[in-house]
Amino acid sequence: MKKEGLRRHLLWTLVVLLALGLWPLGGWHTLLVCRVLGFAFLFAMVTVAWNLVALSGLISLGHAAYFGLGAYAAALLDHYSGAQVPVTLAVAGLSAAAYGAVLAVAFQRLRAASYALATLASVEIPKVIADNWESFTFGSLGLVGTRPLPTISVAGFAVDLSHNIMGQYYFLMTFLAVACAIHALAIHSRWGWALRAVREDERAAAVLGVDVFATRFTATVLSAALTGVCGGLYAHLMGMTEPDLVFNLHISAMPLVFAILGGRFRWYGPAAGALVLYSVDQLVLHPWLPAGHAAVYGLVIMVILLFFPKGIGSWPAPRS
Amino acid sequence: MARAPILDIQGLAVKFNGRRVLKGIHLSVEQGEIVSLIGPNGAGKTTLFNAITGLVRPSAGSVRFCGEDITGWPAHRICWAGIARTFQIARPFPEMTAEENVRIGIWFGKRKKELPRSRNTREEARRLLHLVGLEGKEETPGRELTLSEQRRLEVARALATAPRLLLLDEIAAGLSPQAVSHAARLVRALRDQGTTILLIDHFLNLTARVSDRLLALDQGETIAEGSPAQVLHHPEVLSAYLGERHPHTGSGEIP
Ligand SMILES: Nc1ncnc2c1ncn2[C@@H]1O[C@H](COP(=O)(O)OP(=O)(O)O)[C@@H](O)[C@H]1O
Ligand SMILES: [Mg+2]
């Protein structure tokens, strides 16, 4: 990357981070906006995670499987053992990662549409189990009363992450920052170059010494783990976990839309796409057009694709 | 000769959907040799390269490299062991610049711990691009290179992995006479630096000029083996080639 471009990138990143970090302190925010942005951070994290697999040249339509597994792992662990939130989140990530590892091995020969279809189908297995194992998962009713996020102590202050919406906002922002850091590595590290080579020409990559399977496996497992943690966070934020809610096709499709609109090949692209689109939909389209917001949302997506074919993330970058 | 061959192929067979494309090939190559594979289109030359480099799984037989049995190894490990190849139909990384294409070979061509810690990969990539005559194209994306430039990039990228055995698939097809001479000089220079070379040369552009030994394939079988003079005048080779539309005439684009 050129020096000039790098400086502009850093500048933009700083501006956005300062804006997101400082504006709630100005006092002219509303709690609603903070709450919505908190969820935007969560879904941005799912989008960033999804893009790790996309960077290896595979489009997944099954990230709801990891999200749902994470949500159920956290909710079940909370229900049956009363484990603390950091533990439930870790187990959420590990369960999803394990499923991701199994799928990465099982689907290693699949590409393009067959891979997309196979991942789409992979959501059904955990969903059917959650739906039908009533004695353990409470079936389609799901689990309720999952404990809210705990109160943590930050520099001597007690912050209740479930009622203090601002605290929640910064908490979720931190998770997104970690996901973005991993995503930046998936673009700019040695592993990032392996991903790029695999994506651009798998056979050429293989004969030049790139371990194609290991490269994709790492991406899939990391992606599944991050998505599983998001599912866990969701269970604690919502306090309930139902099969139809967390194994929902919408959760699989959303990162695809956000990442492609945000720009898949820049480290901030998927996150930017998710933050902008989710907030515009929730804060502008929903309140103004309760009935027709989905249509306008569709229109927004089409306009972005027309004017920014490489995603809105390509806008602040210098023209090449 | 007491020394073991660098490449030793025994009874190598490949099937595609039950069709036998290679029917038990034997070939052994000494360190520092230049061996040419010739034969009509569809003879199985490229498939032999694919089987050696781990892109195609043989149905029978073995490949030994430097005394080690590498049959069935994944492609990247075969590269790490020291075998590099070019593709007959070039496969550049389309969105990477020519220089980045070559740097992939430098970065990944050897196991991570075998790579020198601090080395100027950029300088090295540029030297290799210069060697194949791609100076000035360093910043051009792979997809924007012409077909002949893409084929030269294949060679630079293969060399970037620092191979002991280099497999070149039709690098001289469709080249001008000057370009063929340049390729012949390059092949000899690489051999003089210690690289062993196996080259496919359907159009017989390079063979007579550089090879020590020839192997002629037809329909997945070896029909002749020996010195260039012996093989090129072998009756079976002549008839295999004459059965084709364009025989010995120098150039022609790959199909
Ligand atoms: N991946 C493949 N699947 C099915 N058939 C193949 C494949 N690759 C090569 N073949 C067949 O194997 C035969 C030998 O092909 P190839 O090795 O490319 O010949 P050559 O390089 O000598 O022209 C051809 O008949 C070709 O159609
Ligand atoms: Mg061929």
Side-chain angles (χ1 to χ4, degrees), chain B residues 6-21:
Chain B
I6 185 168
L7 180 72
D8 187 18
I9 297 176
Q10 294 292 332
L12 197 71
V14 170
K15 277 188 201 162
F16 287 122
N17 310 319
R19 202 176 125 232
R20 291 161 69 217
V21 169

Side-chain angles (χ1 to χ4, degrees), chain B residues 16-17 19 21 39-48 88 169 200:
Chain B
F16 287 122
N17 310 319
R19 202 176 125 232
V21 169
N41 268 326
K45 305 180 296 294
T46 298
T47 304
L48 181 58
Q88 181 176 0
D169 196 345
I200 293 179

